[in-house]
Amino acid sequence: MKICIFGNSHIAALHLGWKLVSQAYPDLHFAFFGAPDGDMSSVEFKDSMLVATSERVAENMRHSGGADRIVLGDYDAIVIVGGRIGVARCMRDLRPYRLYEGPSGVEAPAQAPLMSRGLLRSAIADLVRTSRLNYFIDKINSELALPVLFVSTPH
């Protein structure tokens, strides 16, 4: 099985971990492609590939994975790491608000605008749904029917 791992600098931890255990799993093969800060804005989905559109990202992808494009059909599954989305991003974007149903766990000034839990859930869902990361996941799933796993950047 061939698995493509694409994402920010946190793929280095996965790569180091894989080196430690790879001999125990001879049927698994990983390819690692990095983009600085998980810069999805400089990557396009084109002809069933993820293609770097900036020289900075192209250079990082060539250095980490050997090419400035990922031919997705060469893999059995895709793992995307980072992508500037996740719990930390949601909390940062929603920090100016406070929940009116009780403590939110986030320090917000008393004069901060109120937000219901329903609106909070909708805001988080919208943040994820409209992200570049979700665009890639939808394209990969619909055009290639490959399984895609998203791993948030740890904070």
Side-chain angles (χ1 to χ4, degrees):
M1 174 176 257
K2 287 180 70 177
I3 301 171
C4 174
I5 299 181
F6 171 68
N8 64 16
S9 61
H10 291 278
I11 68 167
L14 297 174
H15 192 221
L16 289 172
W18 175 243
K19 286 181 178 180
L20 294 174
V21 300
S22 62
Q23 290 182 346
Y25 303 94
D27 294 334
L28 283 178
H29 304 280
F30 287 92
F32 294 85
F33 291 87
D37 299 324
D39 187 359
M40 303 281 181
S41 64
S42 295
V43 177
E44 289 291 329
F45 185 91
K46 183 178 182 181
D47 299 325
S48 299
M49 295 184 287
L50 293 180
V51 181
T53 59
S54 78
E55 187 51 40
R56 179 176 180 232
V57 171
E59 179 59 34
N60 274 272
M61 288 175 67
R62 283 191 293 269
H63 176 74
S64 59
D68 62 0
R69 62 196 61 231
I70 302 169
V71 180
L72 296 168
D74 290 349
Y75 300 96
D76 300 302
I78 309 295
V79 177
I80 300 176
V81 179
R84 298 182 178 164
I85 195 79
V87 173
R89 164 78 189 274
C90 292
M91 295 306 292
R92 185 188 73 230
D93 288 358
L94 299 171
R95 184 175 302 274
Y97 301 92
R98 62 189 171 96
L99 295 177
Y100 72 77
E101 286 105 344
S104 63
V106 176
E107 299 279 333
Q111 70 275 16
L114 293 173
M115 178 183 284
S116 70
R117 289 191 189 281
L119 182 57
L120 175 65
R121 281 190 295 276
S122 293
I124 291 171
D126 191 56
L127 185 64
V128 173
R129 185 176 43 256
T130 61
S131 70
R132 187 105 172 120
L133 170 72
N134 196 59
Y135 164 77
F136 288 132
I137 291 171
D138 283 349
K139 290 296 248 180
I140 293 167
N141 278 326
S142 66
E143 294 191 23
L144 297 162
L146 289 174
V148 181
L149 173 68
F150 165 64
V151 179
S152 178
T153 300
H155 288 277

